[in-house]
Amino acid sequence: MKKDDFNIMSNIKIIETLKADLLCVIGNFFKILTKGSNVAQDAILSCISGAIIILYILADRLGYSFISVDEEVKNKLKVGIIEEDEIEKDGKDLSRLYNHLKERE
């Protein structure tokens, strides 16, 4: 077996593991939310941050840079703001997130 073949197989295994991990994190997130509003805030934050980390690493393993993911997120936010998405109309959530991402630059 060639070294390149091993790297491809290893990468596929990691991608499959990341996909399974993402499903578990999302499942845990939904389970936590069913327990009501008094659940541990740390558990909710842990699920959200874990999903974001997994998605960034998954994107990287699929050939997308972290910067390209960030740029795509900002582009989608801009479109939602311009088109006055329902979430934007209700609380300016898209604008707040877009501004947060712009401030990090």
Side-chain angles (χ1 to χ4, degrees):
M1 185 180 303
K2 296 181 200 172
K3 183 179 178 184
D4 288 342
D5 291 340
F6 181 73
N7 286 340
I8 291 169
M9 289 182 354
S10 174
N11 198 42
I12 290 170
K13 184 176 188 274
I14 291 170
I15 288 169
E16 292 304 313
T17 299
L18 289 167
K19 288 167 35 180
D21 289 347
L22 181 60
L23 287 173
C24 288
V25 168
I26 298 299
N28 286 337
F29 179 67
F30 288 144
K31 186 186 279 187
I32 290 167
L33 291 178
T34 64
K35 295 182 180 181
S37 61
N38 293 331
V39 296
Q41 297 297 316
D42 291 344
I44 292 172
L45 189 58
S46 178
C47 287
I48 292 170
S49 61
I52 292 169
I53 290 167
I54 291 169
L55 287 167
Y56 268 99
I57 294 170
L58 186 56
D60 182 59
R61 288 290 176 155
L62 293 171
Y64 301 98
S65 71
F66 300 146
I67 292 171
S68 66
V69 172
D70 288 344
E71 290 303 315
E72 183 66 17
V73 168
K74 286 189 278 189
N75 288 338
K76 286 184 177 294
L77 289 169
K78 279 191 236 179
V79 168
I81 293 165
I82 291 167
E83 293 180 354
E84 296 182 339
D85 184 275
E86 194 65 35
I87 294 172
E88 179 66 9
K89 284 188 213 175
D90 189 46
K92 300 288 184 196
D93 295 339
L94 302 180
S95 293
R96 290 183 310 126
L97 180 54
Y98 180 79
N99 290 333
H100 167 73
L101 293 175
K102 291 296 284 180
E103 287 173 7
R104 291 189 333 182
E105 294 175 352

